[in-house]
Amino acid sequence: MLARKRILLIISGGIAAYKCLELIRRLRERGAAVRCVMTPAASQFVTPMSVAALTEDRVYSDLFSLTDEHEMGHIRLSREADLVVVAPASADILARMAAGMANDLATTTLLATDKPVLVAPAMNVRMWHHPITQRNLADLRALGVRQVGPGEGAMACNEFGMGRMAEPAEILAAIEAQFAAGPLKGVRALVTSGPTVEAIDPVRYIANRSSGKQGHAIAAALAALGADTALVTGPVNLPDPDGVRVVRIESARDMLAACKAALPVDVAVCAAAVADWRVARSATSKIKKPDTGETPTLAFAENPDILRTLSRPGKNRPRLVVGFAAETDHVLRHATEKRARKGCDWIVANDVSPATGTFGGDSNKVTLIDAAGAEDWPPLDKAEVARRLAARIAETLGKKP
Ligand code: CTP
């Protein structure tokens, strides 16, 4: 997908700049040509020498360098690329981009480019949540700038929260999505997959038998048709699908938060087997066996319903919301009721009674239920169910305003 594509990578100042070296390697492995512009601050975090060695090209950094302008003017630099990626995109460069400034080579190139721009923000959590940063990003997004990340986690500044740059694999997936061709090009998709696990204490948990095979296959099929796809998944034993941004979570509440962070999307497919309940008060230390031989009693609390939340009418409701109904008996009746109860557009009903081998297995026998009625599909392997579903989604979104 990336063979012979030309990526102009603008590296701004931030500790996450070191991840760019890995990103460059992965892009090169896929046949892309990478040319880099580094801000002076970026050179404090990674050396231009490393970047030049990995790109096998020179690194551009100075707007007023006669040699640079002679070899490659900044206008040419910005045009001779198929995509401009800013990673890490510091709060500072985002602010300058939003203000239309052109006070160094990076921002001049960004203002002069006629190519799509993708930013991977990276900054301290407070800088990220600052209304000015959020406003700048909203302005940039409204102008068509695409964004990947940031994620949540421990930061180099010893704080914890949002602002960590997306991992190279996620940035790579977002870049691949930019070049994808197909009926879902320009469509944003969200897929949930796998089980959720709910902690009892730091060593024990409650989970279910979902393998994530169907959800992962759907994410792969949507991405293959060109959708910019985010996959929010519980713990599974599966490789990340190609061209998909993967967000790993454990609990249902984490899954809901990750789904909300992925909005707005055009289509959401909830294939995860979300635990309906969590332990009301999970213990912070391991629960010990009492000498008395008494057995512990666990009190449960209801988990949020992700499908129902995404289906709620509102400005962020995806144009199409698809749920699954895993049933062991009265499949059609229960699934039809579930569609109405959850408020989703389609339900993919499947029989998961042990004799079918659906849970954990490779094949699936589903019935697609929409407002018009129910359509039985023949037994298919999960990848084929995914391809058919993705094709049906493409057909429907093509018609839906
Ligand atoms: N689902 C969800 N969040 C939950 C529970 C379920 O998003 N907390 C989604 C699943 O991903 C699936 C659909 O809702 O798309 C139906 O899940 P299922 O387990 O079949 O139904 P439940 O709502 O749990 O109902 P029941 O257990 O009574 O069958």
Side-chain angles (χ1 to χ4, degrees), residues 158-315:
N158 284 333
E159 289 189 51
F160 183 92
M162 287 291 284
R164 240 168 93 120
M165 188 170 88
E167 292 303 320
E170 289 172 66
I171 302 176
L172 193 66
I175 292 173
E176 281 177 333
Q178 280 288 328
F179 292 113
L184 288 176
K185 185 171 169 56
V187 165
R188 286 171 60 102
L190 166 67
V191 180
T192 69
S193 183
T196 63
V197 306
E198 311 292 334
I200 297 173
D201 66 16
V203 296
R204 305 180 178 93
Y205 62 79
I206 297 172
N208 60 66
R209 293 182 194 281
S210 169
S211 65
K213 283 181 186 165
Q214 188 62 83
H216 276 55
I218 291 167
L222 290 168
L225 294 189
D228 177 358
T229 309
L231 172 66
V232 179
T233 177
V236 294
N237 244 330
L238 295 171
D240 290 349
D242 270 354
V244 167
R245 273 193 320 285
V246 181
V247 184
R248 289 180 188 78
I249 52 81
E250 293 211 330
S251 70
R253 287 187 293 177
D254 294 346
M255 183 173 269
L256 178 63
C259 287
K260 282 184 171 168
L263 296 178
V265 296
D266 300 285
V267 55
V269 182
C270 292
V274 185
D276 290 323
W277 304 282
R278 64 177 179 277
V279 177
R281 258 184 293 278
S282 64
T284 49
S285 324
K286 187 181 172 202
I287 301 170
K288 303 302 284 179
K289 222 175 348 181
D291 294 336
T292 54
E294 264 176 87
T295 52
T297 308
L298 294 177
F300 288 97
E302 197 170 330
N303 265 332
D305 191 317
I306 295 154
L307 176 61
R308 195 191 289 236
T309 308
L310 293 175
S311 300
R312 233 172 254 147
K315 76 171 175 23

Side-chain angles (χ1 to χ4, degrees), residues 360-397:
D362 288 322
S363 72
N364 208 351
K365 164 89 185 74
V366 307
T367 304
L368 182 66
I369 301 170
D370 65 9
E375 183 183 302
D376 271 327
W377 289 7
L380 299 166
D381 71 31
K382 287 182 178 173
E384 187 52 30
V385 169
R387 278 192 287 272
R388 285 196 187 203
L389 189 65
R392 184 66 72 92
I393 288 169
E395 197 186 304
T396 306
L397 288 182

Side-chain angles (χ1 to χ4, degrees), residues 36-280:
C36 285
V37 168
M38 291 178 73
T39 65
S43 321
Q44 302 291 323
F45 295 96
V46 278
T47 71
M49 178 91 84
S50 320
V51 173
L54 290 174
T55 56
E56 291 183 88
D57 196 351
R58 53 158 309 180
V59 172
Y60 296 82
S61 52
D62 193 352
L63 180 58
F64 298 110
S65 150
L66 277 177
T67 340
D68 283 10
E69 280 298 309
H70 176 69
E71 276 182 23
M72 164 80 68
H74 60 267
I75 304 290
R76 240 180 83 202
L77 195 57
S78 71
R79 305 276 165 83
E80 278 191 7
D82 299 302
L83 175 69
V84 182
V85 178
V86 189
S90 62
D92 174 69
I93 202 166
L94 291 170
R96 289 188 290 132
M97 284 170 76
M101 287 172 74
N103 56 350
D104 62 3
L105 181 62
T107 46
T108 305
T109 308
L110 283 159
L111 201 59
T113 193
D114 56 355
K115 296 301 183 328
V117 176
L118 173 75
V119 296
M123 66 200 71
N124 163 272
V125 56
R126 289 198 182 274
M127 292 168 84
W128 170 253
H129 286 297
H130 200 292
I132 295 179
T133 303
Q134 291 303 316
R135 187 194 61 199
N136 288 338
L137 263 167
D139 287 352
L140 290 169
R141 280 196 303 264
L143 294 169
V145 170
R146 306 298 290 250
Q147 179 188 333
V148 52
E152 194 181 56
M155 300 186 158
C157 52
N158 284 333
E159 289 189 51
F160 183 92
M162 287 291 284
R164 240 168 93 120
M165 188 170 88
E167 292 303 320
E170 289 172 66
I171 302 176
L172 193 66
I175 292 173
E176 281 177 333
Q178 280 288 328
F179 292 113
L184 288 176
K185 185 171 169 56
V187 165
R188 286 171 60 102
L190 166 67
V191 180
T192 69
S193 183
T196 63
V197 306
E198 311 292 334
I200 297 173
D201 66 16
V203 296
R204 305 180 178 93
Y205 62 79
I206 297 172
N208 60 66
R209 293 182 194 281
S210 169
S211 65
K213 283 181 186 165
Q214 188 62 83
H216 276 55
I218 291 167
L222 290 168
L225 294 189
D228 177 358
T229 309
L231 172 66
V232 179
T233 177
V236 294
N237 244 330
L238 295 171
D240 290 349
D242 270 354
V244 167
R245 273 193 320 285
V246 181
V247 184
R248 289 180 188 78
I249 52 81
E250 293 211 330
S251 70
R253 287 187 293 177
D254 294 346
M255 183 173 269
L256 178 63
C259 287
K260 282 184 171 168
L263 296 178
V265 296
D266 300 285
V267 55
V269 182
C270 292
V274 185
D276 290 323
W277 304 282
R278 64 177 179 277
V279 177

